Amino acid sequence: MFRRGRAYSSGVVVLRALPNGLDGTRLGLVVGKRVGGAVERNRVKRRIRQIVNSRALLRGWDVVVVARSGIESAEYQDVEREL
């Protein structure tokens, strides 16, 4: 995924995508310790899942969202716009 996938980056997130040839889309989340403690990391993951689930994704893709430091203090609308 990280070698062959296409990367799209913005201020607080990096999105990587690669076609998988399956009927569904798979989502992966990477939220490192630089984002904060366990509570902050889990909050960021819930926020990203909510944004992704509210959008209709194309079928047949593997998508990895990498959260950068600073996302924990970003507004919901800012994260949504960047994704």
Side-chain angles (χ1 to χ4, degrees):
M1 181 70 193
F2 283 89
R3 289 184 185 172
R4 297 182 317 173
R6 177 80 191 246
Y8 305 93
S9 66
S10 65
V12 293
V13 294
V14 176
L15 187 127
R16 293 188 171 268
L18 182 69
N20 63 14
L22 301 174
D23 290 335
T25 296
R26 298 183 290 190
L27 175 68
L29 300 174
V30 178
V31 182
K33 289 187 178 180
R34 289 184 181 182
V35 171
V39 173
E40 290 85 9
R41 290 194 309 267
N42 287 329
R43 184 176 297 130
V44 167
K45 287 187 238 179
R46 286 193 307 268
R47 181 182 285 186
I48 292 171
R49 279 191 208 104
Q50 175 65 33
I51 293 169
V52 171
N53 288 335
S54 68
R55 305 276 184 229
L57 295 178
L58 295 175
R59 296 168 63 120
W61 287 86
D62 288 337
V63 177
V64 175
V65 178
V66 181
R68 292 180 171 173
S69 62
I71 193 170
E72 68 279 0
S73 61
E75 294 292 325
Y76 182 87
Q77 291 81 12
D78 296 334
V79 177
E80 185 176 25
R81 184 176 51 248
E82 289 189 14
L83 279 174

